[in-house]
Amino acid sequence: MVSPLDRKLGRDLWRMKGQSLAIAVVIALGVLMLVMMDGLVNSLDQTRAAYYERYRLADVFAPVKRAPDHVLRDLAAIEGVGAVEGRIAGGALIDLEGEPAPIRAFAVSLPDFGTPRINDVYLTDGRRINPSRKDEILLLDGFARARGLAPGDHLSATMNGARRTFDIVGLVQSPEYLYAVAPGELAPNDANFAVLWMSRDALGAAFDLDGAFNEALIALGRNANLDAVIDAVDRVLDPYGGVGAYGLDDQISNRFVSEEISSLRVSARSVPPIFLAVAAFLLYIVISRMIHAEREQIGLLKAFGYSSLEVGVHYFKFVLAVAVGGALLGCMFGVLSGRGMVELYLDYFKFPFLVFNVDPAAFIIGFSASVLSASFGGVVVLRQVFALTPAVAMRPSAPADYTRSVSFSEQLKKVLDQPSRMVVRRIARQPGRAVAAIVGIGSGMALSVAMLTVLASFDKMMDVNFSVLDRSDVTVSFVEPLSDKTLFDLQNVAGVIEVEPFRSVPAILRNGRYSHRGALSGLISEPRLNRAVAADNSAIFVRGDGIILAEPLAAKLNIAPGDRLTVDVREGRRPTLELPVVGVTQSLLGAPAYFELGALNQALKEPGRVSGAYLRIDSAKADDIYVALKDMPAVAGVSIKSKARGAFQQMMDEGAGGMRYIMAAIAAIITFGIVYNSARIAFAERERDLASLRVIGFTKGEASFVLLGELGIITLLALPFGIALGHYLSLAVSAGFSTDLYQIPVSFAPASYGVAVVAVLTAAGVSGWLVNRDVGKLDLVASLKTRE
Amino acid sequence: MSEPAPKPFAPFAFRSEDVTKVYGSGAAAVHALRGVDLEVPRGELVVVLGPSGSGKSTMLNIMGGLDRATSGRVWFMDDELTAMDDAALTQFRRRHVGFVFQFYNLMPSLTARENVELVTEIADNPMDANEALALVGLEERANHFPAQLSGGEQQRVAIARAVAKQPEVLFCDEPTGALDSKTGRAVLRVLKDVNERLGATVLIITHAAATAAMADRVLSFADGKIRDVIVNKTKLDPGEIQW
């Protein structure tokens, strides 16, 4: 048996269905964001962990120049080491038919017997290699699909200067190459970077490493101390040319994935609460106004003998129905859209499996946040209503007191007619309410501004990096540091316009307890093709008397100009250098440390060495140049900027960056929801006044002016507030989106503000129009007979 | 309704022929008016009596341009209200009609004078707002907001607002319903003044049968029809009415 009060509840919900739904949707969007993003982060985290575990990804990677196999026993003896495997890994250039540019690849050995104990691979197609067949390879699934290669196809590759043809027998995915990034590039590009796995014998022969290995993979035992193990491994491998062992955290693919996940996590923690807070605020306003409007009915119920508690519970149920409805909707669509996002990520990261799994905490937080905020709005107003005796509550409420509202000077009175005065007085009489509405609309707008600014900032970042910083067309890297005479060979290739050498030296940068594993970039003193620039885009000249650090790197190392930086060089004789920091510069991509090329070579005591060069080329002759480069034995890799930029853009659009589009869309919807709700509430409150005006002889337009004038003024006042709040929100959101790998600069983008302003005005216009239709439908007779 | 000035030829402010009004349809249909024929001469003070649901408010709403008849015809002077569209009805209310309601319906955000000016700003030939307030004896309280006025004062402001445009017709639906007898008499006195001094036709709906004594004409409604029409030979002054 449904109680009469519950029937009233059902009818009230139905009567106010438009507004109830509008609020529920705003709540739902906040909860949706929370559930979707939390689920996404949770799923990625768990999937990654499961994948790593199932395919036994190494905990420590220890590259070395050449170590005999027996050294593995020494490594296995280190305390904390659970398992060791030695393998051979080296660069390769793949020559594909119809592709002029050489494609960079990485060749990795598989053990001759059984499956790898560490860094196993997941076979997606074909079969594993037969160790006795030296020409059989497994190919990275992503590359194969991007290039239309399948088991049974052949592939020719140049390794260590020798060109060979291989049979592809299987396609694999690997936890080591979730994010397949060519060395020196920042974004994965399926079609332009390959990994191939082949027998250890074959690879040993190719790289002259028979009976030796050039990379040790180590799985840690329980309770092992990572730093201690790394130190011990470095000591063991040092005599054999150890480049420096590093943990999984520094492994390139894992680092990208971690960055992506942590960037998502930051967004998941910072953005949905903002959305939810705006939704909660809105709900609070609506509920409190609504209960105020029910004043007489509350008095009536109390007169019938219902207790304050019973009446309170009745209205609380209404609040709860809207809040829970919204939260449920949000959870449902959150899970749905989370699943959709997971599909995208499945494709983006090369996970063989991915389970969508929302932490129950997200549901609980979403639910309680909506219900609590809704209840708060209800309770505050109910308390006022309970204080009234039934008789007073039932009597039509006295005319709202405008005594202390604005009084107009005679001059102003000449300007403002009565409808205008009504609008102004209404706003001035309850400044709190007006401020609340302004804050509400402004917050919605700020969300839009922030999301749009971030969108613009992504583009700005791309532009600065690929147009201002890096003005080269092609980057060529050599197999090892070579004499700078090699540059003449490059210069002589027809179509090459300009050649600018660089030296990149792997190094660990230290400042006390802060360290960074990266590289020193040796550039010529006045670089033209790949420059360091200050915040105003003016070029910074690289100096020979000290290092210039990228801003995020200086922050990471906690170092400032004037301090001295310790540089552990991990190449050649591997000296440790003490160099002064002489400047800090803007960098949006990566974390470079610049040093003048000559000074760097001098410090390394290796004069005249270069590791590669930036080229500016005649684009009409690009294909010929690529072919020429492919034939140069010294060339280890060719990175084409347009492709790198495309890959980066793709990464921004598809990965964590893609989230910004979704957020921008949701921000727009929330903004509209707030404006529309404000208009609806204003209409509900003034229905009777408007009907009176119509009866007196005001036209629909004139009556609408009284209603919409207020919305208009509030909207206009909300604009500057939204712009200011949006600015600060942009800062916060950009920081959330920035990672170690790229920074999102907050650029003042007038267009973002302009678009947000237009969006808010449009929302106001559409809301006004929707509500205005109801002014035309006002029942003049009915609204004059009854109060409320 | 292009000519605001009353046409001298029409002896009646209102005429109606067989007006019906049905709310809802089918089994749920409510017949509020079942064929009303009436004539209201210009310049009279008419009291409309009848029990709740007798159709008197419905008829006045139709005559005031607030509602539409289901069938039948209604004329104001020579213009047929039942043939007008919404915009024309709005103009009709704006130019010719003043309303006084049981619940005053003042704008809480405007002072007494501003509430009157609300109407004078859009009327063709309004009197001064202060003059209108003086008419109801409230010139001293012109700058007070409704919240600062008593119920009777609010109702008098509502009357001032209604008469300020110098309407040809004044509709009053239970104008004394929310007032005590003393205040009620004062309000009726104001309505009579308006009728006599401005020559406006005044129609007053009331439950208080005693009010009929001050009318030129009394229309009694019952069951959606006019039961009888009484033309008073002698009228009482509002002050003499026994409540």
Side-chain angles (χ1 to χ4, degrees):
Chain A
M1 179 63 196
V2 184
S3 79
L5 271 189
D6 286 344
R7 272 204 294 272
K8 171 179 180 314
L9 175 69
R11 298 212 177 105
D12 284 350
L13 279 170
W14 179 248
R15 179 170 56 90
M16 302 178 70
K17 56 185 177 297
Q19 186 152 24
S20 306
L21 192 70
I23 304 167
V25 164
V26 172
I27 294 176
L29 286 172
V31 174
L32 181 150
M33 288 291 295
L34 186 80
V35 168
M36 176 183 77
M37 298 198 63
D38 182 89
L40 198 52
V41 170
N42 210 27
S43 306
L44 286 175
D45 233 4
Q46 289 180 4
T47 307
R48 178 179 59 162
Y51 191 23
Y52 284 3
E53 195 188 333
R54 203 176 296 174
Y55 291 89
R56 301 178 297 278
L57 187 65
D59 297 308
V60 176
F61 297 77
V64 62
K65 194 152 178 100
R66 178 198 174 94
D69 285 345
H70 67 77
V71 177
L72 291 171
R73 284 198 297 275
D74 301 339
L75 291 175
I78 293 171
E79 192 187 336
V81 170
V84 182
E85 198 153 277
R87 70 174 183 184
I88 297 163
L93 281 183
I94 291 175
D95 186 9
L96 274 188
E97 235 174 274
E99 171 63 57
I103 296 161
R104 279 189 288 179
F106 209 63
V108 181
S109 73
L110 288 168
D112 285 346
F113 303 103
T115 55
R117 283 180 302 159
I118 306 179
N119 288 13
D120 198 1
V121 291
Y122 167 74
L123 195 68
T124 57
D125 195 6
R127 59 169 173 84
R128 287 179 180 261
I129 58 167
N130 178 345
S132 62
R133 299 285 306 273
K134 297 193 187 329
D135 50 0
E136 286 186 358
I137 58 165
L138 299 176
L139 189 61
L140 188 66
D141 183 86
F143 174 76
R145 288 182 198 284
R147 291 292 185 174
L149 296 167
D153 290 343
H154 304 289
L155 187 76
S156 40
T158 308
M159 287 178 209
N160 210 15
R163 182 167 164 155
R164 290 178 55 189
T165 300
F166 298 98
D167 298 333
I168 303 168
V169 298
L171 305 184
V172 295
Q173 293 182 339
S174 155
E176 195 181 349
Y177 295 102
L178 270 178
Y179 220 81
V181 188
E185 292 209 356
L186 288 157
N189 187 341
D190 277 351
N192 285 294
F193 178 64
V195 181
L196 33 105
W197 286 262
M198 52 197 293
S199 85
R200 180 161 170 162
D201 270 4
L203 210 51
F207 287 98
D208 296 325
L209 286 167
D210 286 330
F213 63 92
N214 68 359
E215 186 172 33
L217 304 174
I218 294 166
L220 295 180
R222 285 186 188 285
N223 305 323
N225 179 333
L226 177 69
D227 292 334
V229 169
I230 287 176
D231 286 347
V233 168
D234 279 347
R235 277 195 300 277
V236 170
L237 293 180
D238 198 51
Y240 307 100
V243 179
Y246 55 91
L248 187 55
D249 285 349
D250 284 318
Q251 199 261 344
I252 185 84
S253 156
N254 182 56
R255 224 182 103 203
F256 270 95
V257 177
S258 302
E259 283 290 347
E260 187 86 17
I261 293 177
S262 69
S263 145
L264 264 180
R265 181 175 288 123
V266 171
S267 312
R269 294 206 175 137
S270 60
V271 179
I274 299 173
F275 280 84
L276 219 48
V278 171
F281 181 70
L282 179 69
L283 190 60
Y284 163 73
I285 297 176
V286 172
I287 297 289
S288 54
R289 288 187 177 190
M290 187 197 97
I291 289 182
H292 216 81
E294 294 265 297
R295 190 173 176 276
E296 276 174 73
Q297 299 185 35
I298 292 167
L300 200 63
L301 289 171
K302 285 169 82 176
F304 288 161
Y306 283 98
S307 71
S308 289
L309 187 69
E310 284 165 324
V311 180
V313 166
H314 169 66
Y315 284 97
F316 188 68
K317 278 185 192 165
F318 183 101
V319 172
L320 219 56
V322 175
V324 168
L328 267 180
L329 217 63
C331 287
M332 218 165 66
F333 284 99
V335 170
L336 282 179
S337 44
R339 278 185 207 283
M341 289 296 290
V342 159
E343 291 294 320
L344 284 179
Y345 272 84
L346 188 64
D347 191 50
Y348 180 60
F349 293 127
K350 309 293 187 269
F351 286 125
F353 54 86
L354 206 152
V355 190
F356 186 71
N357 186 1
V358 182
D359 185 351
F363 292 123
I364 295 169
I365 293 171
F367 259 95
S368 28
S370 5
V371 171
L372 276 179
S373 54
S375 317
F376 181 70
V379 166
V380 168
V381 184
L382 274 183
R383 273 185 44 187
Q384 302 169 1
V385 175
F386 288 159
L388 301 169
T389 63
V392 175
M394 270 200 305
R395 213 172 292 149
S397 61
D401 189 352
Y402 280 85
T403 324
R404 264 175 270 167
S405 182
V406 237
S407 53
F408 296 99
S409 68
E410 287 306 317
Q411 272 117 331
L412 209 55
K413 279 186 180 174
K414 281 179 196 140
V415 183
L416 292 176
D417 59 2
Q418 305 311 325
S420 309
R421 283 187 219 175
M422 287 169 74
V423 169
V424 174
R425 282 226 180 89
R426 210 177 124 80
I427 292 172
R429 175 175 170 264
Q430 289 180 308
R433 180 182 285 187
V435 166
I438 289 169
V439 168
I441 296 176
S443 310
M445 181 182 158
L447 279 179
S448 299
V449 166
M451 294 307 153
L452 289 166
T453 303
V454 169
L455 281 178
S457 299
F458 269 81
D459 294 340
K460 169 95 184 296
M461 176 197 67
M462 296 273 297
D463 203 48
V464 168
N465 272 284
F466 290 104
S467 307
V468 180
L469 292 170
D470 181 359
R471 298 195 294 193
S472 69
D473 299 314
V474 176
T475 305
V476 175
S477 46
F478 300 142
V479 285
E480 58 186 346
L482 298 175
S483 157
D484 50 15
K485 293 190 179 60
T486 319
L487 298 175
F488 292 118
D489 297 341
L490 292 175
Q491 189 76 70
N492 287 336
V493 174
V496 171
I497 299 166
E498 195 170 351
V499 176
E500 186 173 292
F502 68 89
R503 174 108 197 240
S504 181
V505 182
I508 299 171
L509 311 179
R510 297 183 204 279
N511 176 36
R513 61 197 171 88
Y514 305 100
S515 72
H516 172 78
R517 173 177 293 274
L520 265 190
S521 295
L523 303 180
I524 59 172
S525 63
E526 287 186 26
R528 289 164 43 81
L529 297 186
N530 191 0
R531 311 182 300 160
V533 297
D536 61 356
N537 287 351
S538 65
I540 287 180
F541 296 136
V542 179
R543 289 161 61 166
D545 57 346
I547 290 180
I548 293 174
L549 292 175
E551 224 171 342
L553 185 53
K556 185 178 177 185
L557 292 170
N558 194 25
I559 204 165
D563 296 343
R564 293 188 79 78
L565 181 70
T566 307
V567 181
D568 281 349
V569 175
R570 312 305 299 183
E571 187 186 277
R573 296 176 307 100
R574 289 181 291 147
T576 296
L577 310 174
E578 287 282 330
L579 296 167
V581 174
V582 294
V584 171
T585 180
Q586 178 192 31
S587 168
L588 305 175
L589 273 187
Y594 299 111
F595 198 24
E596 199 273 321
L597 177 61
L600 175 62
N601 279 334
Q602 200 173 11
L604 295 169
K605 301 200 169 63
E606 295 175 347
R609 294 274 151 177
V610 293
S611 9
Y614 303 109
L615 307 185
R616 196 152 62 81
I617 62 170
D618 177 354
S619 56
K621 295 182 181 153
D623 285 359
D624 295 337
I625 295 171
Y626 300 149
V627 171
L629 291 175
K630 204 153 46 170
D631 287 339
M632 294 173 75
V635 171
V638 174
S639 162
I640 297 161
K641 192 171 77 175
S642 58
K643 288 187 179 170
R645 181 173 188 155
F648 201 85
Q649 179 78 54
Q650 195 182 2
M651 176 172 88
M652 290 294 158
D653 286 348
E654 291 177 0
M659 191 60 84
R660 65 215 158 108
Y661 293 113
I662 295 174
M663 287 184 178
I666 293 183
I669 296 173
I670 286 198
T671 308
F672 177 78
I674 292 172
V675 176
Y676 176 67
N677 273 302
S678 305
R680 271 256 74 93
I681 294 165
F683 177 73
E685 285 182 345
R686 322 207 60 189
E687 209 174 328
R688 189 180 153 80
D689 287 353
L690 294 171
S692 301
L693 289 175
R694 290 279 289 124
V695 168
I696 290 173
F698 276 60
T699 62
K700 284 174 197 169
E702 287 163 338
S704 298
F705 170 77
V706 174
L707 173 69
L708 301 179
E710 186 186 349
L711 177 68
I713 290 180
I714 292 215
T715 305
L716 290 179
L717 289 176
L719 293 179
F721 175 74
I723 286 172
L725 189 66
H727 173 70
Y728 290 106
L729 207 56
S730 308
L731 295 179
V733 174
S734 295
F737 271 113
S738 296
T739 70
D740 268 9
L741 298 169
Y742 54 83
Q743 276 73 45
I744 308 300
V746 177
S747 47
F748 175 71
S752 307
Y753 294 90
V755 170
V757 166
V758 169
V760 168
L761 292 180
T762 307
V766 172
S767 304
W769 176 72
L770 285 173
V771 174
N772 198 23
R773 289 192 315 176
D774 290 350
V775 173
K777 291 186 207 147
L778 275 175
D779 184 343
L780 304 189
V781 176
S783 50
L784 291 175
K785 292 245 152 154
T786 51
R787 299 292 310 198
E788 304 298 344
Chain B
M1 297 308 301
S2 55
E3 282 300 314
K7 295 174 184 172
F9 307 108
F12 297 112
F14 287 100
R15 257 183 323 125
S16 77
E17 276 177 18
D18 198 23
V19 174
T20 70
K21 177 71 182 177
V22 184
Y23 294 104
S25 60
V30 175
H31 294 264
L33 296 178
R34 298 165 182 271
V36 177
D37 299 288
L38 60 68
E39 287 174 342
V40 177
R42 293 176 58 192
E44 283 198 353
L45 191 151
V46 179
V47 165
V48 183
L49 294 175
S52 291
S54 59
K56 57 188 191 303
S57 290
T58 305
M59 189 61 200
L60 253 64
N61 286 336
I62 292 171
M63 289 158 69
L66 295 177
D67 205 352
R68 290 180 172 283
T70 305
S71 69
R73 304 170 77 184
V74 180
W75 287 269
F76 168 70
M77 308 292 184
D78 287 332
D79 298 308
E80 188 183 343
L81 293 178
T82 37
M84 290 181 188
D85 61 9
D86 273 353
L89 283 177
T90 299
Q91 289 304 315
F92 162 65
R93 293 198 300 269
R94 187 171 183 141
R95 291 186 164 148
H96 305 288
V97 186
F99 287 96
V100 178
F101 306 99
Q102 184 176 3
F103 294 117
Y104 332 136
N105 293 73
L106 299 180
M107 298 294 137
S109 56
L110 297 178
T111 62
R113 183 189 293 118
E114 288 167 344
N115 260 289
V116 177
E117 286 168 351
L118 195 59
V119 167
T120 58
E121 275 178 7
I122 60 169
D124 292 321
N125 180 29
M127 64 174 81
D128 182 66
N130 290 322
E131 193 187 325
L133 283 170
L135 205 61
V136 298
L138 281 178
E139 62 271 45
E140 299 297 318
R141 316 215 63 175
N143 288 322
H144 288 63
F145 283 98
Q148 298 167 297
L149 300 173
S150 71
E153 288 171 330
Q154 289 183 49
Q155 188 61 298
R156 277 145 66 193
V157 174
I159 294 172
R161 183 177 67 182
V163 302
K165 69 162 83 156
Q166 314 219 43
E168 283 130 63
V169 199
L170 192 61
F171 287 99
C172 310
D173 195 347
E174 298 282 1
T176 57
L179 304 174
D180 62 71
S181 59
K182 185 163 168 281
T183 319
R185 271 196 286 269
V187 166
L188 292 179
R189 150 85 52 213
V190 171
L191 292 176
K192 185 165 173 60
D193 280 357
V194 169
N195 171 244
E196 286 171 355
R197 286 165 57 182
L198 303 179
T201 309
V202 177
L203 289 101
I204 304 171
I205 287 187
T206 180
H207 275 102
T211 314
M214 67 178 274
D216 293 306
R217 184 178 296 253
V218 180
L219 303 177
S220 297
F221 273 76
D223 296 327
K225 288 180 173 171
I226 291 181
R227 195 186 58 199
D228 54 47
V229 179
I230 297 169
V231 179
N232 283 335
K233 297 279 188 302
T234 53
K235 297 184 282 180
L236 287 184
D237 187 78
E240 298 167 313
I241 290 175
Q242 297 304 307
W243 218 265

